[in-house]
Amino acid sequence: MSTTAHRYEDAVTRYFEAWNAEDPAARAKAVAAAWTEEGGYTDPLADVSGHEEIAALIADAREQFPGFAFRLAGGVDGHHDTARFSWELVSAADGSAPVAGSDVITLDAQGRIEAVLGFLDRVPAGT
């Protein structure tokens, strides 16, 4: 695997560490490790920037889906400073994945996320 491929996979690993952090302090640390200070996250339901807003968005999602974890669904593909990947939100209780999506991220020179453009491929009714 090339150094470039590792860069994308490392960024996505840090991304999921942030989304799966249950403790607020651990979440804040994971967000800071994954995103640049001014980094952003945009999907059909949210448009936030900065570590505090991103951490708050993640906390809201975790509150809405307790007992669930985000996981990679497939591989990570990238070129230049851009990577894309698909994910699922999976229940620890029964393995169901009611939410799934695809994200495109842009990275800075150190491999931290500058921006996420998220697409929701599957969401529960009423979300």
Side-chain angles (χ1 to χ4, degrees), residues 70-118:
F70 288 88
R71 74 171 179 205
L72 186 63
V76 177
D77 184 31
H79 62 81
H80 296 86
D81 291 329
T82 305
R84 67 178 177 170
F85 56 94
S86 295
W87 52 266
E88 295 179 312
L89 184 59
V90 181
S91 168
D94 64 11
S96 65
V99 183
S102 300
D103 290 350
V104 175
I105 60 174
T106 56
L107 305 175
D108 72 0
Q110 289 72 44
R112 291 173 64 204
I113 299 169
E114 292 181 326
V116 176
L117 298 175

Side-chain angles (χ1 to χ4, degrees), residues 17-91:
E17 287 171 357
W19 277 95
N20 288 323
E22 294 183 24
D23 174 72
R27 184 178 311 119
K29 183 176 179 181
V31 166
W35 272 269
T36 62
E37 282 287 326
E38 294 80 28
Y41 177 94
T42 303
D43 71 15
L45 304 174
D47 186 9
V48 299
S49 61
H51 292 171
E52 287 184 24
E53 289 184 10
I54 293 167
L57 174 68
I58 293 170
D60 289 346
R62 296 202 53 79
E63 186 175 305
Q64 185 177 0
F65 294 96
F68 283 76
F70 288 88
R71 74 171 179 205
L72 186 63
V76 177
D77 184 31
H79 62 81
H80 296 86
D81 291 329
T82 305
R84 67 178 177 170
F85 56 94
S86 295
W87 52 266
E88 295 179 312
L89 184 59
V90 181
S91 168

